[in-house]
Amino acid sequence: MFLATLLMSLREIRRNTLRSLLTMLGVIIGVGAVVVLVTLGEGASAKVESDIAKLGDNLLIVSPGANRRGPGFSGSARPFERADVAAIESEVSGLAGIAPAAQQQTPVVSGNRNWRTSVIGTTPDYLDVRGYDIGSGRAFTESEVSSGRAVVVLGATVRKELFGNQDPIGQQVRIGRMPAEVIGVLAAKGQAAMGQDQDDVVLLPLVTFQRRIAGNTDIGSIYVSAAEGRPTVLVQSQIESLLRQRRRPSGEDDFNVRDMAEIAATMASATGAMTALLGAIAGVSLLVGGIGIMNIMLVSVTERTREIGIRLSIGALPREVLLQFLVEAVVLSSLGGAIGILSGLSGGWFAARALAVPFVILPQIVLVAFLFSAAVGVVFGILPARRAARLNPIEALRHE
């Protein structure tokens, strides 16, 4: 019986194709909007996690300056010293690597080309801690750091701006007034989570930077990588306790330790909450589509009153009439949901490409959207179906 009812419903929908499409339009828009927004939200979350991961594995960034200013804090925080780095390296357990860094925006010149970029003085461990790879050439060594040799490793953006497609290895560049030899080029990493270009850098030995560019021994940041399996929260707590003893035994901290994993989780949570909110807003249009289905089905009951009367008079049961109109409503909403899912996936793919985020499909969201569209047909189709089933056969046959 159900199969016969289903075929009858499809026949009625095909008989009024244009009206059926217009009826499904609200459901199509609602389901499509939900799928597009959730897909983009998941893609944005994936991009945030990927961008944070590009900064380095299990990365902690130690910087001078307190997160908050209170009555116990006055003046600017002093930079770190080499002794602070040595203390962290020797007294904090569970470290995979540590790299001090000093940074300055400085013009870099090669021939008649120049480019203002971020020049970073650091140690060879910086590459591992920050997740950089050497694309060509080599990194500087510990002996070159200790001797203060003028050698540099260029980021991919700087190489392109200064040398174009030429091989820069062995070439000379000038950083400020200091000539230096290019010994390596970093593999491209792209943009970080906040939009900064991670390839727009020049790396050189820390001692060289301090002596010949900065003119001091200050260390602006300390990058720490926790060992695999070691919770970054524990490492962060140890670093804070150590620096608190070394720098400000009493009073407010004049440093801060940022956990990139925690920042990534916070950003992903915020993105997820926004996705859920936008999905819920888009879901309202599904209710509007359901109301449209109910209105059209009520009109259909009125138009087919005589047909209903004939069916009831020749022995059809009221529940069979109810099932017929309920199945029609569910088929309408389910077809709308299926078309909406296809439209949403297509729109999500184009939108993801336009916004440069990954295209992430969540099968459970697609399934929920389809089931919800079918449920809309049941909820909003029950009233017209009950109205049709309750018609008096005699009165229905008299209807013109």
Side-chain angles (χ1 to χ4, degrees):
M1 185 184 73
F2 180 78
L3 180 59
T5 304
L6 179 60
L7 293 175
M8 190 180 301
S9 300
L10 292 174
R11 185 194 64 194
E12 292 297 332
I13 292 172
R14 189 171 61 251
R15 181 187 298 175
N16 300 284
T17 305
L18 180 58
R19 188 171 72 177
S20 299
L21 287 174
L22 294 176
T23 303
M24 292 187 289
L25 190 59
V27 176
I28 293 172
I29 293 173
V31 171
V34 170
V35 172
V36 168
L37 291 175
V38 172
T39 299
L40 288 179
E42 291 299 321
S45 296
K47 188 174 190 303
V48 167
E49 293 176 3
S50 174
D51 288 344
I52 293 293
K54 289 180 182 178
L55 297 176
D57 294 330
N58 302 324
L59 180 65
L60 298 168
I61 302 178
V62 188
S63 307
N67 288 323
R68 296 189 301 267
R69 293 181 178 271
F73 184 88
S74 60
S76 58
R78 70 181 190 276
F80 295 119
E81 302 172 353
R82 296 181 191 176
D84 294 321
V85 180
I88 293 174
E89 189 171 12
S90 61
E91 298 184 35
V92 175
S93 60
L95 300 186
I98 180 170
Q103 182 172 332
Q104 182 174 306
Q105 290 290 323
T106 305
V108 181
V109 181
S110 174
N112 60 354
R113 294 187 176 186
N114 68 86
W115 183 254
R116 189 173 185 85
T117 186
S118 179
V119 177
I120 301 175
T122 186
T123 62
D125 286 340
Y126 183 87
L127 299 180
D128 293 330
V129 172
R130 290 297 311 275
Y132 280 101
D133 294 318
I134 294 294
S136 62
R138 64 175 180 87
F140 45 80
T141 62
E142 289 289 353
S143 62
E144 289 172 331
V145 173
S146 58
S147 64
R149 188 180 171 195
V151 291
V152 297
V153 178
L154 305 181
T157 298
V158 180
R159 181 204 63 79
K160 179 180 178 181
E161 294 296 335
L162 295 182
F163 295 96
N165 295 323
Q166 297 179 2
D167 183 8
I169 306 301
Q171 301 293 323
Q172 293 285 318
V173 295
R174 192 173 74 250
I175 303 176
R177 297 181 178 179
M178 181 192 76
E181 178 187 356
V182 179
I183 61 171
V185 177
L186 297 174
K189 287 185 70 174
Q191 289 189 341
M194 302 303 177
Q196 66 268 31
D197 185 0
Q198 296 184 95
D199 301 320
D200 192 8
V201 294
V202 172
L203 305 182
L204 69 159
L206 178 61
V207 174
T208 307
F209 179 92
Q210 292 173 332
R211 289 177 181 172
R212 306 183 64 176
I213 294 180
N216 56 50
T217 60
D218 295 344
I219 293 174
S221 301
I222 303 173
Y223 296 91
V224 178
S225 178
E228 188 69 29
R230 178 73 170 174
T232 53
V233 175
L234 295 181
V235 177
Q236 179 180 0
S237 176
Q238 288 183 325
I239 294 174
E240 289 174 344
S241 177
L242 175 62
L243 292 180
R244 197 171 290 124
Q245 294 174 12
R246 292 181 58 84
R247 293 171 64 86
R248 296 184 74 85
S250 60
E252 186 174 337
D253 295 342
D254 65 343
F255 63 90
N256 67 83
V257 183
R258 288 177 291 166
D259 185 350
M260 292 296 102
E262 183 179 345
I263 293 175
T266 301
M267 294 180 68
S269 176
T271 305
M274 185 61 68
T275 301
L277 176 61
L278 293 175
I281 294 173
V284 173
S285 58
L286 276 174
L287 300 179
V288 176
I291 294 172
I293 289 176
M294 182 176 65
N295 289 337
I296 294 301
M297 293 305 297
L298 287 172
V299 172
S300 180
V301 170
T302 302
E303 290 179 347
R304 295 158 61 187
T305 299
R306 188 173 180 82
E307 173 194 331
I308 296 169
I310 294 173
R311 290 194 62 194
L312 290 172
S313 65
I314 62 176
L317 298 176
R319 67 171 179 269
E320 293 174 344
V321 176
L322 184 145
L323 181 62
Q324 176 189 348
F325 282 87
L326 189 59
V327 167
E328 284 187 31
V330 173
V331 169
L332 277 172
S333 60
S334 298
L335 284 175
I339 297 172
I341 288 171
L342 294 176
S343 302
L345 291 176
S346 301
W349 185 80
F350 284 109
R353 293 199 61 177
L355 297 175
V357 300
F359 178 58
V360 180
I361 300 176
L362 292 181
Q364 60 269 32
I365 294 299
V366 173
L367 179 61
V368 167
F370 180 76
L371 293 178
F372 191 76
S373 66
V376 165
V378 174
V379 172
F380 289 95
I382 193 68
L383 178 61
R386 290 183 64 185
R387 180 174 176 180
R390 291 179 176 180
L391 284 177
N392 185 302
I394 299 175
E395 295 296 329
L397 288 170
R398 290 175 179 174
H399 182 79
E400 294 294 338

